[in-house]
Amino acid sequence: MPPEPTPSAGPVAAARRRQLRADRARQLADVLRREILAGGFPAGILPLEDVLAADYRTSRNTVRQALDLLRGERIVDRQPGIGTVVVCEKYPHGLDRLQGLAETLREHGRVTNEVRTVGPVTAPGPVAHRLGLPEHSDVLCIERLRRLNGLPLSLDLSYLPMDVGGALLDCDLENTDVFRLLEALTGGPLGHAEITLEAVNADAHSAAVLQAPRGAAVLMLERLTHLPDGRPVDLEFIRFRGDRITMSGVLRRSL
């Protein structure tokens, strides 16, 4: 990180210094967050504040403010006699391959599913449109709470056409990704998916199920998956606990 600017005199300059210090703290928090999530502190303990200040060429006050920001995000905490420790592990979810959650996180533990709702419903208009179905068509609706190593991770709401999804009623939805079941039913791999990712505030239902504070930000992944022939077959609205997941992918620039 570049060195902090030399302070100047006067009230305007003092206000500017406070703003710059807050900016620097935020910038340092971004760097430290990335280091933490990438396993840069394998022992789970961050260096002392003066060591961090020297390593990142900044002041100890800026380090302290940056750590305060990370504590507010529940990524680190201060433990007497030990120092600043990592208290939150985020799991990587790739965005450059079409995989189910258990496939994506297989190296990090066991994904289990609590099936909260499963059965035919009349598709809302936009859902029928996205799935290429006539209005008022029946679709299979599945809502699952998904846990990783016993901790709530996501709340998944899926809509599937009945001619494909109906067979899932007899399948093991508690222990198997829907993607794997669909491929077994259709006799081949899925094709492609369109995704949208945004942050939304958790409603009371989602917060309670995910054991997250009401109104907390969650990552909403909307995914429309197609068969190889292009037919849309699975429309999902997935709410992830943002404090337990990180999204990543590889983007290539086309000239």
Side-chain angles (χ1 to χ4, degrees):
M1 295 179 63
E4 294 191 344
T6 303
S8 17
V12 174
R16 178 64 175 162
R17 286 198 302 275
R18 287 193 296 272
Q19 178 183 358
L20 287 173
R21 189 161 53 245
D23 290 340
R24 297 283 300 184
R26 171 176 45 81
Q27 294 160 8
L28 178 57
D30 289 342
V31 174
L32 290 174
R33 185 188 304 104
R34 183 69 261 162
E35 284 291 299
I36 291 169
L37 299 181
F41 306 103
I45 303 175
L46 274 65
L48 297 175
E49 292 176 358
D50 55 349
V51 175
L52 289 172
D55 287 346
Y56 292 98
R57 301 175 61 197
T58 189
S59 72
R60 189 167 178 175
N61 281 339
T62 298
V63 170
R64 190 172 293 117
Q65 287 182 325
L67 295 178
D68 284 343
L69 292 174
L70 296 178
R71 276 195 290 272
E73 298 175 26
R74 300 179 184 175
I75 293 177
V76 301
D77 200 3
R78 184 81 178 172
Q79 293 189 2
I82 298 177
T84 301
V85 300
V86 178
V87 295
C88 175
E89 182 177 7
K90 290 194 176 186
Y91 299 99
H93 188 297
L95 293 177
D96 44 10
R97 295 186 63 189
L98 183 56
Q99 293 183 312
L101 191 65
E103 295 174 303
T104 301
L105 300 178
R106 63 184 179 276
E107 297 178 359
H108 301 280
R110 181 167 179 258
V111 173
T112 56
N113 310 310
E114 176 189 328
V115 180
R116 299 178 55 82
T117 301
V118 58
V121 298
T122 301
V127 170
H129 175 73
R130 296 289 302 281
L131 290 173
L133 300 173
E135 281 194 54
H136 311 302
S137 295
D138 281 349
V139 293
L140 182 69
C141 175
I142 308 172
E143 183 181 79
R144 295 166 297 160
L145 169 62
R146 315 200 69 185
R147 293 184 173 93
L148 178 62
N149 299 325
L151 294 176
L153 182 62
S154 70
L155 182 62
D156 299 13
L157 181 63
S158 305
Y159 296 100
L160 304 99
M162 284 302 299
D163 64 320
V164 176
L168 295 178
L169 290 169
D170 298 321
C171 295
D172 183 7
L173 292 169
E174 292 188 351
N175 298 292
T176 315
D177 278 340
V178 167
F179 280 2
R180 285 197 175 276
L181 296 174
L182 285 176
E183 289 177 335
L185 292 171
T186 59
L190 296 170
H192 70 281
E194 303 152 10
I195 64 171
T196 301
L197 183 65
E198 60 181 320
V200 300
N201 292 331
D203 59 279
H205 168 71
S206 299
V209 172
L210 290 170
Q211 297 177 18
R214 184 173 180 175
V218 295
L219 288 176
M220 163 73 86
L221 177 68
E222 179 184 326
R223 180 168 62 194
L224 179 61
T225 302
H226 300 254
L227 295 175
D229 63 5
R231 180 190 175 188
V233 72
D234 183 11
L235 176 61
E236 299 170 278
F237 300 91
I238 306 173
R239 287 171 166 82
F240 287 100
R241 279 193 55 151
D243 58 346
R244 291 180 180 164
I245 201 81
T246 178
M247 302 287 181
S248 63
V250 177
L251 303 178
R252 292 180 173 83
R253 181 175 173 85
S254 299
L255 300 178

